[in-house]
Amino acid sequence: VSSLRARAVSGIPELHAGDDLAALIVAATGPEQPSDDQVVAIAHTAVSKVEGAIRMLAEVQPSERALQLAAAAADAGVDHATDARAIQVALDESSEVLRAERGVLICRTHHGFVCANAGVDASNAGREDSLVLLPRDPDTSARRIRARIGDLTGATPAVLISDSFGRAWRHGQLDVCIGLAGMQPLDDWRGRTDASGMLLRATWLAVADAVAAAADLARAKDSREPVVLIDGLQRFVCDEDGPGATALLRPTVEDLFR
Amino acid sequence: VSSLRARAVSGIPELHAGDDLAALIVAATGPEQPSDDQVVAIAHTAVSKVEGAIRMLAEVQPSERALQLAAAAADAGVDHATDARAIQVALDESSEVLRAERGVLICRTHHGFVCANAGVDASNAGREDSLVLLPRDPDTSARRIRARIGDLTGATPAVLISDSFGRAWRHGQLDVCIGLAGMQPLDDWRGRTDASGMLLRATWLAVADAVAAAADLARAKDSREPVVLIDGLQRFVCDEDGPGATALLRPTVEDLFR
């Protein structure tokens, strides 16, 4: 019988730049250390904090464009999107702004992720005068954490880094995978057949995104539990680091909604 | 410690119009019957089949528009999207076509879901000459199945109906919730504070979609296991049926990507 199990790891302390996140995870898991066939899912804010991917608002000089966007948000009555410095930080993290309406900024980040405010987040920063960015290269972060867990324990579980993204046509946010090592991001059934022998023409499953979503269900949002251990995904876990979350990005040439 | 567990139910037989799906689920779960605090996640094809939401290709008369779209797909070399009858069925299920390019048809269904081909699916139909539609009213389907499980067992678990949707900016498909009863679809943290006391301004979690994604990880795509039981979601399960998956739909007036 197939089965999936996800459980939050308690006891990860408040994190700061330079902290050894892998060591803190290993310490917090206690005697039940991560194993080779598990996935360690980590909310990106934890990775961003230890990597120092933080901007202090006081050090941001908003551009003319950021000031205009802030004024437009104020005109639209969107009070929480009127800080031109926060908008500037989102612009700095973006290669392209897809939409800027009613205080909503939909960006393509330098990594290629399409999300609100380029993934820049005021909550969970730990202080009101700072913003948490996405890690600079989340796949590399995942590989580094995976290797370090291997050094510390002898086991190399898959490591998945997630962020909560909104969706174009649905309410609410869903955690998606933004960094990955040791697991295949996609499960390709195209050209294979289903139980009835029918060709599965389009079936190409974003398993890493499903794992990110499942992990988020195992913790409460106010619980300070950035790490979740997941069992039951042996068929997707692999020895090599694999292509990472980058493989989940649809190339802009295929984008029908620019 | 928070924990999530999902396991596929084996032994659901091949389904036909008029079958009592709730009774088949109860029979297949055996002595470990669904309980009030569980979620029963069901792949929509199972619901569509018992409801007879199937179209026979031989009975479809393609319109001029369907013939044009099929010809355009053939010109673009997209061989699997050249059956004008299948395109006609997708058009019949749509209130609006958002994009029609390179054999890809992005539709808004009559329910309001935005997805490829209006959710019409050739695979899992069980026969090559038929197509599976989405259930006509998946929230009502979920409520009916929930009530019937209650009649049979005395327990009323939440019932969630899912389909696999592609995403605008990411590769692969992810299961999302299209029908729901007995569980809150969204978890609203807006205005509440995180562990650091910071205001969670935008945090509004699409928990029903996360559950759909998690459920799909508990089965293999060729395993004929449309039903997955999920534990650990007590905080989202409720006595009343609730607003259903309809509450997950972003109104078109807020749609930035029409």
Side-chain angles (χ1 to χ4, degrees):
Chain A
V1 178
S2 317
S3 174
L4 178 83
R5 182 163 166 251
R7 60 193 168 85
V9 173
S10 55
I12 306 272
E14 181 64 33
L15 297 164
H16 302 94
D19 283 349
D20 184 342
L21 180 56
L24 293 168
I25 292 170
V26 169
T29 53
E32 210 185 323
Q33 299 278 298
S35 65
D36 282 327
D37 56 4
Q38 279 183 326
V39 178
V40 178
I42 310 173
H44 88 86
T45 44
V47 178
S48 296
K49 284 182 191 177
V50 302
E51 293 183 356
I54 304 272
R55 291 279 302 271
M56 305 303 294
L57 280 173
E59 296 166 9
V60 177
Q61 190 62 41
S63 64
E64 191 56 40
R65 187 171 184 208
L67 291 166
Q68 284 169 357
L69 289 166
D75 285 347
V78 188
D79 293 340
H80 64 262
T82 55
D83 188 332
R85 300 169 304 171
I87 294 170
Q88 183 59 49
V89 173
L91 295 177
D92 290 344
E93 297 299 306
S94 301
S95 64
E96 185 183 357
V97 174
L98 297 189
R99 295 289 186 280
E101 286 183 42
R102 281 165 277 170
V104 178
L105 213 59
I106 308 295
C107 307
R108 185 180 306 274
T109 69
H110 293 300
H111 328 80
F113 302 120
V114 174
C115 56
N117 301 318
V120 174
D121 200 357
S123 55
N124 287 309
R127 38 191 300 178
E128 296 214 22
D129 53 356
S130 64
L131 298 173
V132 181
L133 316 179
L134 296 184
R136 185 150 307 276
D137 180 350
D139 280 333
T140 297
S141 304
R143 288 176 194 137
R144 191 186 303 130
I145 294 166
R146 184 179 190 229
R148 178 80 178 126
I149 292 176
D151 288 344
L152 293 167
T153 69
T156 50
V159 170
L160 183 153
I161 301 171
S162 70
D163 189 18
S164 300
F165 282 10
R167 290 87 51 84
W169 302 291
R170 296 173 75 84
H171 279 317
Q173 295 110 35
L174 197 62
D175 265 39
V176 300
C177 172
I178 65 164
L180 188 66
M183 185 187 141
Q184 52 168 299
L186 291 149
D187 185 24
D188 196 350
W189 286 82
R190 293 172 299 177
R192 292 150 82 184
T193 52
D194 69 10
S196 321
M198 282 291 298
L199 186 64
L200 293 166
R201 224 174 253 122
T203 303
W204 193 30
L205 306 172
V207 286
D209 286 336
V211 174
D216 202 43
L217 287 174
R219 62 178 160 236
K221 211 63 182 176
D222 63 349
S223 63
R224 200 176 271 165
E225 289 173 334
V227 179
V228 173
L229 296 185
I230 304 154
D231 289 288
L233 297 170
Q234 291 86 340
R235 63 197 187 283
F236 305 124
V237 169
C238 46
D239 285 340
E240 63 277 21
D241 283 330
T246 307
L248 289 160
L249 298 179
R250 187 185 290 280
T252 53
V253 64
E254 292 179 16
D255 181 354
L256 301 179
F257 294 95
R258 291 170 68 82
Chain B
V1 179
S2 316
S3 173
L4 178 84
R5 180 160 169 255
R7 60 193 169 83
V9 174
S10 55
I12 307 273
E14 180 66 32
L15 297 164
H16 302 94
D19 284 348
D20 183 342
L21 180 56
L24 293 169
I25 292 171
V26 168
T29 52
E32 210 185 324
Q33 299 278 297
S35 65
D36 282 327
D37 57 4
Q38 279 184 325
V39 179
V40 179
I42 310 174
H44 88 87
T45 45
V47 178
S48 296
K49 284 182 190 176
V50 302
E51 293 184 356
I54 304 271
R55 290 279 300 273
M56 304 303 295
L57 280 173
E59 295 167 9
V60 177
Q61 190 64 39
S63 64
E64 191 58 37
R65 187 173 185 209
L67 292 165
Q68 284 168 358
L69 289 166
D75 286 346
V78 187
D79 292 341
H80 63 264
T82 55
D83 188 331
R85 300 169 303 172
I87 294 170
Q88 184 59 50
V89 173
L91 294 177
D92 290 345
E93 297 299 307
S94 300
S95 64
E96 184 183 359
V97 174
L98 297 188
R99 295 290 186 279
E101 287 182 42
R102 281 165 279 170
V104 178
L105 214 59
I106 308 295
C107 306
R108 185 180 306 274
T109 70
H110 293 300
H111 328 80
F113 302 120
V114 174
C115 56
N117 301 317
V120 174
D121 200 357
S123 54
N124 287 310
R127 38 190 301 178
E128 296 214 22
D129 53 356
S130 64
L131 297 174
V132 181
L133 315 180
L134 296 185
R136 185 151 306 277
D137 181 349
D139 280 333
T140 298
S141 303
R143 288 176 194 138
R144 191 186 303 129
I145 294 166
R146 184 178 190 229
R148 178 79 178 127
I149 292 175
D151 288 344
L152 293 166
T153 69
T156 50
V159 170
L160 183 154
I161 300 171
S162 69
D163 189 19
S164 301
F165 282 11
R167 289 88 50 85
W169 302 290
R170 297 173 73 85
H171 279 318
Q173 294 110 35
L174 197 61
D175 265 38
V176 299
C177 172
I178 65 164
L180 187 67
M183 184 186 140
Q184 52 168 300
L186 291 149
D187 185 22
D188 196 349
W189 286 82
R190 294 172 298 178
R192 292 150 82 184
T193 52
D194 69 10
S196 321
M198 282 291 297
L199 186 64
L200 293 166
R201 225 174 253 123
T203 303
W204 194 28
L205 306 172
V207 286
D209 286 335
V211 174
D216 202 43
L217 287 173
R219 61 178 162 236
K221 212 63 184 178
D222 62 348
S223 63
R224 199 176 270 166
E225 288 173 334
V227 178
V228 173
L229 296 185
I230 303 155
D231 289 289
L233 296 170
Q234 291 86 339
R235 66 196 185 283
F236 304 124
V237 169
C238 46
D239 284 343
E240 63 275 22
D241 284 331
T246 308
L248 290 160
L249 298 179
R250 187 186 289 281
T252 54
V253 65
E254 293 179 16
D255 181 353
L256 301 179
F257 295 95
R258 290 173 67 83

